[in-house]
Amino acid sequence: MNKQRTLDFFSKKRSTPSIDDSVTDDSSETKTNLMSILKKPKLDVASKPTVTSNLPMKTYDIKINFQDLAEICEVLENTPSRLAKLDKLEEFFDHIIEKDTSQLDVVTNFLLNQLGPEYIQDLELGFGEHLIIKILQETFGYKIASLKMKLKEVGDLGQLTYKLRGEMKTVFAFKSKNDDIKISIDEAWKALNEIAKTNTHKEKIGKIRPLLSRMSPVETKFFIRFLEGKLRIGSSNQTIGVSMSRCMMKYDQVRGRSMELDAIEADRILRKVYSQVPNYSIIIDKFLEIGLKELEEKLTLQPGIPLKPMLAKPCKSALDALAEFNDVKTGENDKFICEYKYDGERIQFHQLNDGTIKIFSRNSEDMTAKYPELVDFSKFYKNKDEVQSLIIDGEIVAYDVVEDKILPFQILTTRKRKNVEIEDIKVKVCIYVFDILSLNGKSLLEETLEERRRIYMNVFESKKGELQFANNLVSDDEAEISAFLDQSVQDKCEGLMVKALTGRKSIYQPASRSKFWMKLKKDYLQGVGDSLDLIIMGAYYGKGKRTGFYGGFLLGSYNPDNDEIETCCKIGTGFSDEHLELLHKTMKEYESEISPSNYMYDSQTKPDIWFSQPKLLLEVLCADLSLSPVYKSAIDLTGNNRGISLRFPRMLRIRDDKDYTMATSSEQVLEMYQSQSNLQ
């Protein structure tokens, strides 16, 4: 397969110490013996995690070299096989467990390229290409023009730093009193957290320069990549989780716990727990206390910690929706419900035990400050005394209280995101509640949707234009469902959500895209029944009235297995002048002359300018999908060395409420291609 990748300047293979060698302890004791003498760290703050804007920082008695972490990243980057990656990661986690179990969370977060979970504020490093080049200029003494030229040759800021750091010792014989002092993982981690809290570029550079001078070339490579937000080790959250679950199981069984678990069951438990409590610091601390088997029952969703929402699969017609709930073999028909699919912002409302209200977006961003008028959430309760805590799934829409109607999503986007004062609000909003996930500390995920609906309707008092329940229909009549779909479009909604109402199919499955939830939309264009959320990879310069702005964009789907973004179309229609101005203003600081190494593209589609980070998504409709020799989406899945492209794509809206990992996956693109009526 002819994938165009960024040129690797260092094609000569470098020797990397094996993980097996690094695992060997000086005392030559076996892993079993080492596990029996594990140490816990001394904490300078309470070890019990709290939901605050800052992560508690721990101090450790045992020092593990940051070099170990950098070297496993190097090994993973050079290991193409996913199964081999799993084995390497498992060996590395074993190594960390033998040294100090309490550092597992730091190591895991680093491998996930995050300082902490998404819902914790002020953990964004925010390093673009221009700032990193400035850091390299001040650290290594090169002119910016020279660094940009070298970057073109190398194709990656981390690899460029590796080269410069090597020259720093060999060519210029740089020496300092700290040059040979090894940096530990926790020292590097504390530095990264301090850098995140530093406001000015000058202060950030001042903290980074001495660190780079003390690091080996491979350490600088992955430290810079972490700052940039692109570790490029080809290991997804799923791969890291599988390896972690194996190690947890082995650790438990050495201690006589979770003896009945096998690798498959261990992976299932960790996935389930992480989908409800997406914070490895909390999970690992609780695991060390009670073991993996007990986690499933004793660590469930908590108010204040947003979970990834359940998502729906696309469906083209009421007939297709009915087929999903009819068992042809048994003749049984599952009960289901149709609800309006509102054109707004998917949110989770959390009330904590102390009465605090938190509002989170679908990608776990804290949106509470954007909606100050909703903080007094108790006004919607039928009985305030009966509600201590809860988690609600719903949609916020812009609402015209005078005309008593829903307004388009574009109106909602005009609201300020920060520093919103209630008296300045011009766009009113209404909350449409369609699910409840927790009430008074009890998880409701395993309850049927029918029961969850009964519960939230008993909790809330519907108020027109402020809080309402999703308009719904319970019916298995195709004509009735089609008419309800037409009515939803007339009422300014996107279509319908069709959900299992009773039985095991109706439980809430966080972070999953299930066929037990389906979205049914009216087609704007013939051929494809659903829109796609695609990543902006690069841009083409505008001409005519678009001169000075971007005139079109190269878009891609997300391949989570390899953490790669694969091209699927160029797009230039559906944009207003305001859209283009906003996109130019937002994306200009991420412009780059080279493509990130995880962008899969063909030279025939190369844009005028690349974006160094996948910062924004566009919601797109198209006439149909077709196989293409130049586009790369799902090329590993089609089986004929051709990818899938969109024909006649049109932009619907900018999706700044999603990050790139929530984009339409390449596998979903393939499913949409295969489901087209002309291929049936």
Side-chain angles (χ1 to χ4, degrees), residues 28-44:
S28 299
E29 291 183 309
T30 63
K31 292 184 178 182
T32 302
N33 289 335
L34 283 166
M35 287 184 180
S36 67
I37 57 170
L38 294 170
K39 293 185 178 180
K40 291 290 288 180
K42 295 178 180 177
L43 304 184
D44 56 8

Side-chain angles (χ1 to χ4, degrees), residues 232-409:
R232 295 172 179 168
I233 58 176
S235 296
S236 64
N237 195 329
Q238 180 179 337
T239 303
I240 291 168
V242 171
S243 301
M244 175 70 75
S245 68
R246 291 179 184 177
C247 294
M248 286 178 164
M249 181 187 69
K250 287 188 293 184
Y251 171 85
D252 263 3
Q253 293 180 352
V254 166
R255 298 168 67 88
R257 302 189 303 200
S258 307
M259 301 302 291
E260 67 274 30
L261 296 186
D262 58 17
I264 294 175
E265 182 67 3
D267 177 47
R268 183 196 67 78
I269 290 173
L270 185 57
R271 282 177 190 243
K272 180 179 178 180
V273 172
Y274 185 77
S275 72
Q276 297 182 39
V277 186
N279 184 328
Y280 271 112
S281 295
I282 294 176
I283 291 172
I284 290 169
D285 281 351
K286 195 68 175 176
F287 154 73
L288 293 171
E289 177 189 339
I290 65 174
L292 185 58
K293 175 66 176 175
E294 296 297 316
L295 275 183
E296 184 172 11
E297 296 298 325
K298 296 185 179 178
L299 187 58
T300 59
L301 69 169
Q302 302 174 18
I305 300 180
L307 57 159
K308 294 294 185 182
M310 186 172 175
L311 303 173
K313 287 195 171 183
C315 186
K316 284 190 177 182
S317 69
L319 188 62
D320 290 343
L322 286 169
E324 286 294 339
F325 296 98
N326 294 337
D327 192 317
V328 177
K329 292 182 180 179
T330 65
E332 293 180 359
N333 296 331
D334 292 319
K335 196 173 181 182
F336 62 92
I337 187 171
C338 301
E339 297 177 337
Y340 275 15
K341 187 178 189 304
Y342 293 95
D343 189 15
E345 184 169 24
R346 180 86 176 267
I347 50 85
Q348 278 179 31
F349 279 91
H350 289 236
Q351 177 172 313
L352 283 61
N353 287 320
D354 64 0
T356 302
I357 296 295
K358 289 285 185 180
I359 305 171
F360 296 100
S361 70
R362 64 184 299 156
N363 62 341
S364 303
E365 181 185 357
D366 190 337
M367 306 293 287
T368 314
K370 183 178 177 180
Y371 300 107
E373 72 271 41
L374 302 180
V375 171
D376 183 18
F377 203 55
S378 62
K379 64 184 178 183
F380 300 120
Y381 298 155
K382 288 182 177 178
N383 190 333
K384 296 180 182 181
D385 296 333
E386 292 181 357
V387 180
Q388 285 79 53
S389 67
L390 54 68
I391 302 175
I392 293 295
D393 198 356
E395 192 96 1
I396 288 180
V397 300
Y399 202 89
D400 187 332
V401 292
V402 176
E403 297 290 332
D404 189 25
K405 65 180 182 180
I406 295 171
L407 297 173
F409 175 77

Side-chain angles (χ1 to χ4, degrees), residues 19-38 87-101 246-247 250-255:
I19 299 302
D20 290 335
D21 293 337
S22 64
V23 167
T24 304
D25 191 86
D26 292 340
S27 65
S28 299
E29 291 183 309
T30 63
K31 292 184 178 182
T32 302
N33 289 335
L34 283 166
M35 287 184 180
S36 67
I37 57 170
L38 294 170
D87 292 338
K88 296 295 184 183
L89 273 167
E90 185 178 347
E91 291 172 6
F92 180 68
F93 285 137
D94 282 341
H95 168 58
I96 297 299
I97 284 174
E98 290 166 4
K99 293 285 187 179
D100 185 359
T101 53
R246 291 179 184 177
C247 294
K250 287 188 293 184
Y251 171 85
D252 263 3
Q253 293 180 352
V254 166
R255 298 168 67 88

Side-chain angles (χ1 to χ4, degrees), residues 193-221:
N193 277 272
E194 289 174 3
I195 291 164
K197 298 169 189 173
T198 304
N199 295 321
T200 69
H201 288 177
K202 184 177 180 180
E203 288 178 304
K204 290 180 187 289
I205 294 171
K207 290 182 180 295
I208 294 168
R209 285 183 60 190
L211 286 172
L212 294 180
S213 68
R214 290 176 55 198
M215 289 179 174
S216 66
V218 72
E219 288 175 293
T220 63
K221 173 181 176 178

Side-chain angles (χ1 to χ4, degrees), residues 272-273 275-277 295-303 307 389-391 435-448 451-452 455 507-510:
K272 180 179 178 180
V273 172
S275 72
Q276 297 182 39
V277 186
L295 275 183
E296 184 172 11
E297 296 298 325
K298 296 185 179 178
L299 187 58
T300 59
L301 69 169
Q302 302 174 18
L307 57 159
S389 67
L390 54 68
I391 302 175
D435 220 324
I436 184 167
L437 313 183
S438 172
L439 179 64
N440 297 337
K442 180 186 176 182
S443 171
L444 302 175
L445 300 183
E446 298 291 327
E447 301 290 342
T448 65
E451 176 63 14
R452 299 198 305 274
I455 291 172
I507 67 171
Y508 193 97
Q509 302 173 45

Side-chain angles (χ1 to χ4, degrees), residues 16 115 185 292 509 511 530 551 567 574 604:
T16 305
L115 284 176
I185 288 175
L292 185 58
Q509 302 173 45
D530 190 33
T567 55
Q604 295 182 55

